[in-house]
């Protein structure tokens, strides 16, 4: 019976996007401890700042400012001018003199600020060593500003009135000259003399009218000034601002939480891009050139999840035991970033096969990982020189590591066929390529990959449909068509060599030549 398969090869490197957003999101989510910790640190720092560094005592006052050029369509230009005038040494010096303070105006200007609330309302905020001092400073500043504004209005009105009166006096001199000319002439029968006298009378009437107009305008200029001065006043008496410690703590804590969370997410994203550590099963399978055959959590999990974890481990043990029974060669388990989980899997497998005959577990892991997990009645665990004395008639299960620093030439002594036990997100893509290439150089086929600590939301396919020569799922399958047809590649049985038209795994297209390889 033949089985037809579908080719689902991964995307070629040339067509792959610069950044895989799905992998990036998964990597950031897996590093939630980092950004949650930074968010918590920001929350605590914000609350601590509010408690340990309370704001200085402050006071606020509001001043109603009347302008001579007030317009209904004013965009706030006049009140912004008043804000800038408040921040001048002249007003600061006048306020300090009323307070009899020796402080420099330049230093005092740093302790208060003005804010335009509307076109005619100015708010003054002042800080001090105590609430009383802040209130006194606010009152002095408000009074100094009102006095300065009133003085400027008077000066403008006086200057305008003086200009109008000077113009009136000049016209009065011209009127006196015209009156003098009129008095020196008499009306006679000469038509030209009568016309000239008539022109002088018209000139005198015009000058008299203009003199009266300038006088009236001068009076109006003086009359409008008191109205503007009276309209500029303190409408909200200076008062101390009460600070609520709980409210400030909550506000600062929320700000710190947001900043810490943003910083944590940014660091996690940048770290995921720079480190390039595959976390999706499709990426791990593509980089190692072997399919993912099982998944196990790194920790037992919560109480309602432990039953599911035990079932998954039992299924994995059954699958590996069936593979070891049907293999004439020794099988090894090689870990990458999960020595404890690999030790547990190896011991479970050894216990399942111990009843069928003599069995020895060859420990090639760094440290006492296997020895520390043994129970009474477990199969024998040997390591080092004792492994060479194991009888060839005894079934062996090798346990080793492919972490950086591995003695690659010793891996064949653990087993000529292997199952890789890889922790998701532990090894970089470059190191996964190195592992696949080194195992290929040692002629150690990879039966499959056991993924430890997978992402629970990962929905990608970890099966390589183009490399079935050593996959567990291809043990009893045969090609669907002799020369290919509907499927791009036919399924092979275990032990068959790769066909000439079969695609190579991803690492084979990326690794350098033998003379360029960096071990």
């Amino acid at each position: 019976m033949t089985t037809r398969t579908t080719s689902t090869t991964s995307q070629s490197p040339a067509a792959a996007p610069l950044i895989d957003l799905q992998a990036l999101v998964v990597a950031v989510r897996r590093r939630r401890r980092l950004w949650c910790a930074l968010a918590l640190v920001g929350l605590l720092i914000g609350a601590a700042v509010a408690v340990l560094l309370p704001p200085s005592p402050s006071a606020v006052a509001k001043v109603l400012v009347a302008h001579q050029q007030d317009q209904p369509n004013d965009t706030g230009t006049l009140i912004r001018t008043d804000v800038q005038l408040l921040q001048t040494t002249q007003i600061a010096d006048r306020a300090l003199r009323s307070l009899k303070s020796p402080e420099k105006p330049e230093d005092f200007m740093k302790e208060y600020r003005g804010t335009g609330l509307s076109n005619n309302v100015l708010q003054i905020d002042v800080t001090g060593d105590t609430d009383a001092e802040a209130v006194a400073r606010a009152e002095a500043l408000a009074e100094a500003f009102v006095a300065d504004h009133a003085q400027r209005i008077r000066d403008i009105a006086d200057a305008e009135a003086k200009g109008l009166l000077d113009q009136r006096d000049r016209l009065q001199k011209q009127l006196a000259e015209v009156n003098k000319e009129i008095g020196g002439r008499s009306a006679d029968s000469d038509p030209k003399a009568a016309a000239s006298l008539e022109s002088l009378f018209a000139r005198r009437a015009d000058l008299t009218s203009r003199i009266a107009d300038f006088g009236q305008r001068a009076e109006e200029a003086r009359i409008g000034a008191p109205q503007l001065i009276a309209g500029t006043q303190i409408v909200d008496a200076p008062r101390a601002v009460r600070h609520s410690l709980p409210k400030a703590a909550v506000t600062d804590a929320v700000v710190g939480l947001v900043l810490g969370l943003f910083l944590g997410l940014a660091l996690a994203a940048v770290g995921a891009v720079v480190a390039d550590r595959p976390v999706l099963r499709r990426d791990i399978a593509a980089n190692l050139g072997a399919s993912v055959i099982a998944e196990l959590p790194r920790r037992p999990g919560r109480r309602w999840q432990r039953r599911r974890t035990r079932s998954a481990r039992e299924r994995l043990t059954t699958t590996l035991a069936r593979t070891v029974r049907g293999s004439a060669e020794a099988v090894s388990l090689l870990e990458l970033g999960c020595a404890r989980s690999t030790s547990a899997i190896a011991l479970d497998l050894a216990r399942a096969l111990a009843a069928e005959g003599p069995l020895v577990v060859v420990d090639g892991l760094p440290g006492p990982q296997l020895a520390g997990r043994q129970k009474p009645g477990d199969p024998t665990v040997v390591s080092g020189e004792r492994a060479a004395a194991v009888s060839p008639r005894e079934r062996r299960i090798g346990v080793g590591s492919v972490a950086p620093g591995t003695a690659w030439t010793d891996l064949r002594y653990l087993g000529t066929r292997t199952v890789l036990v890889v922790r998701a997100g532990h090894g970089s893509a470059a190191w996964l390529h190195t592992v696949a290439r080194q195992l290929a150089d040692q002629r150690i086929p990879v039966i499959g990959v056991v993924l430890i600590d997978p992402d629970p939301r990962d929905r990608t396919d970890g099966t390589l449909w183009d490399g079935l020569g050593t996959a567990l799922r291809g043990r009893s399958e045969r090609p669907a068509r002799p020369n290919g047809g509907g499927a791009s590649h036919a399924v092979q049985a275990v032990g068959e060599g790769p066909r000439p038209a079969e695609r190579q795994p991803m690492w084979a297209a990326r690794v350098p030549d033998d003379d360029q390889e960096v071990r």
Side-chain angles (χ1 to χ4, degrees), residues 288-291 416-420 435-436 439-440 444-449 470-471:
L288 288 174
S291 300
T416 54
R417 295 161 64 85
T418 187
V419 174
L420 292 177
V435 170
L439 292 177
I444 303 176
V446 180
I447 300 175
V449 178
T470 57

Side-chain angles (χ1 to χ4, degrees), residues 18-31 267-285 287-288 336-338 402-404 422-433 451-455 458 510:
L18 182 61
I19 296 178
D20 190 346
L21 294 181
Q22 182 182 6
L24 178 62
V25 171
V26 172
V28 171
R29 187 170 63 242
R30 287 177 64 86
R31 303 187 69 181
L267 290 177
V270 172
V273 173
V274 173
D276 190 18
R277 299 178 182 272
V279 292
L280 299 178
R281 60 174 70 93
R282 72 177 180 198
D283 298 332
I284 294 175
N287 288 320
L288 288 174
L336 180 60
C338 49
V402 288
V422 181
R423 178 184 170 190
H426 179 77
S428 64
W431 185 252
L432 296 181
H433 292 175
L451 192 60
I452 303 299
D453 193 22
D455 185 77
D458 183 10
R510 296 186 180 180

Side-chain angles (χ1 to χ4, degrees), residues 164-474:
L164 294 173
L165 292 178
D166 291 343
Q167 186 70 9
R168 186 193 63 179
D169 295 342
R170 186 177 63 80
L171 294 177
Q172 285 179 347
K173 291 180 181 180
Q174 294 179 8
L175 179 61
E177 294 176 358
V178 170
N179 290 331
K180 185 177 180 181
E181 291 181 10
I182 292 175
R185 295 184 183 186
S186 58
D188 49 18
S189 59
D190 189 358
K192 294 182 178 181
S196 177
L197 186 60
E198 183 178 354
S199 174
L200 290 175
F201 278 113
R203 173 67 174 166
R204 183 174 65 177
D206 179 63
L207 290 174
T208 302
S209 175
R210 293 176 61 186
I211 289 172
D213 180 62
F214 278 114
Q216 183 180 359
R217 290 170 59 186
E219 290 296 330
E220 291 177 354
R222 287 196 175 95
I223 292 174
Q227 296 178 355
L228 296 177
I229 294 174
T232 301
Q233 56 184 327
I234 302 174
V235 293
D236 192 358
R239 56 183 175 81
V241 178
R242 303 300 177 187
H243 298 284
S244 174
L245 181 59
K247 182 179 179 179
V250 171
T251 303
D252 293 351
V254 170
V255 172
L257 173 66
V258 173
L259 293 178
L261 181 61
F262 175 78
L263 178 61
L265 291 174
L267 290 177
V270 172
V273 173
V274 173
D276 190 18
R277 299 178 182 272
V279 292
L280 299 178
R281 60 174 70 93
R282 72 177 180 198
D283 298 332
I284 294 175
N287 288 320
L288 288 174
S291 300
V292 176
I293 60 175
E295 296 178 353
L296 287 178
R298 188 182 176 192
R299 298 180 179 85
R302 297 176 177 87
R303 181 175 301 176
W304 59 85
Q305 296 175 336
R306 293 177 183 175
R307 183 176 180 180
R308 186 184 306 172
T309 303
R310 286 195 301 269
S311 300
R313 293 187 61 172
E314 291 173 0
R315 289 194 301 269
L316 174 61
T317 302
T318 303
T319 302
L320 295 179
R322 185 183 306 113
T323 302
V324 173
R325 293 190 192 99
S327 175
E329 304 175 16
V331 178
S332 64
L333 301 176
L334 302 180
E335 66 85 23
L336 180 60
C338 49
R340 291 174 58 87
S341 298
T342 306
S343 301
I345 295 173
L347 290 176
D348 290 343
L349 177 60
R351 295 182 188 118
L353 297 173
E356 302 177 7
L359 184 140
V360 176
V361 180
V362 181
D363 185 6
L365 292 174
Q369 295 289 345
L370 281 172
R373 303 179 66 91
Q374 271 190 298
K375 298 179 181 179
D378 283 349
T380 304
V381 176
V382 297
S383 60
E385 297 180 356
R386 296 177 55 191
V390 176
S391 173
R393 298 180 180 178
E394 291 184 295
R395 181 176 289 169
R396 295 192 305 172
I397 299 176
V399 184
S401 175
V402 288
T406 297
W408 301 106
T409 55
D410 293 342
L411 295 181
R412 287 190 61 85
Y413 295 99
L414 298 176
T416 54
R417 295 161 64 85
T418 187
V419 174
L420 292 177
V421 185
V422 181
R423 178 184 170 190
H426 179 77
S428 64
W431 185 252
L432 296 181
H433 292 175
T434 301
V435 170
R437 179 58 183 271
Q438 292 289 352
L439 292 177
D441 288 346
Q442 297 299 321
R443 299 186 181 278
I444 303 176
V446 180
I447 300 175
V449 178
V450 177
L451 192 60
I452 303 299
D453 193 22
D455 185 77
R457 301 182 183 179
D458 183 10
R459 298 295 181 266
T460 60
D461 187 10
T463 303
L464 293 185
W465 297 94
D466 293 340
L468 307 184
T470 57
L472 291 178
R473 58 184 174 78

